[in-house]
Amino acid sequence: MSHSPVLELFAEELKIFRTAAGMTQAELAEEISYSSALIGKIESCDRRPSADFARRCDKVFNTDGILARIQRKLGRDSLVAWFREWAELEQEAEALRWFEPLFVPGLLQTEAYARTVLSGSGLLRSDALEQQVTARLERQELLTHDHSPLLTVVMDASVLRRRVGSPEVMREQLRHLTKLGGSLPRLRIHVVPETAGAYAGLNGPFVMATPPTGEDIVYIEGQLNGQTYDRAEDVKRTVQVWESIRGEALPHQQSLELISEVAETWT
């Protein structure tokens, strides 16, 4: 079976570093608190390494982040082709403004919620599904980076009450939102209440990224693919829509209180 060239590169480099350090798979497993069986699977390209796995190996081998960099490249390769450009912009952004009327935004999803959303279509095979879930969770690491973006999220209130998975999945997800909203200083969560009625956001989700240099970029995802927009007129129009939506939304703290209340109704 053919494997990703990047996955093969990671496996090869891991084996080289481990051998140079004079360590067996069992000895490395003990050092990084992973199983030797997993290390064997990664070295044979039967399992994909996580970001945490790569970081721990780099620390043991003192390899200046080489494995972590390969792992990030591997994570990007697991994304569908049309999403990769946006994923890179997302990672580099100084600020993100995200409106979502249907689901909890991917950067704030729990593993169980993400798996349910991604499996909902029934179009992904189990291995592809797991790759997509892993990639989505790894994108979330930008929330705790030293240079994490200022992330402002606005969600429609229906997101809190739309059942995605079991009630337990929903309760865990909403509790996760309140935890993140209360602990990450560069995250703001706003909810548009049901009393807002018809408002600009009902036309669909979008994200705006503010890159380190240059003008804002808009990303809109549809059924077939996602599209980025950087024309000044498009960005200006999206900013106007964003401001209109924000005007309908509850303040951050009030939104967290609402999310917390709804979480306990999922029993």
Side-chain angles (χ1 to χ4, degrees), residues 1-4 8:
M1 185 175 78
S2 63
H3 298 287
S4 159
E8 292 178 349

Side-chain angles (χ1 to χ4, degrees), residues 83-117:
F83 188 73
R84 289 173 193 160
E85 178 190 3
W86 174 255
E88 293 182 5
L89 290 169
E90 182 182 70
Q91 293 292 320
E92 298 169 357
E94 292 187 346
L96 293 166
R97 287 171 282 180
W98 192 327
F99 172 67
E100 181 55 72
L102 301 173
F103 299 110
V104 170
L107 289 179
L108 305 181
Q109 291 178 4
T110 63
E111 180 176 350
Y113 188 97
R115 181 171 286 104
T116 304
V117 170

Side-chain angles (χ1 to χ4, degrees), residues 154-178:
V154 180
M155 293 181 292
D156 189 272
S158 63
V159 172
L160 311 180
R161 303 187 188 279
R162 175 175 293 107
R163 178 168 171 168
V164 175
S166 67
E168 291 75 18
V169 169
M170 288 300 301
R171 186 165 63 249
E172 177 193 37
Q173 175 63 76
L174 298 191
R175 287 176 174 174
H176 182 63
L177 287 176
T178 58

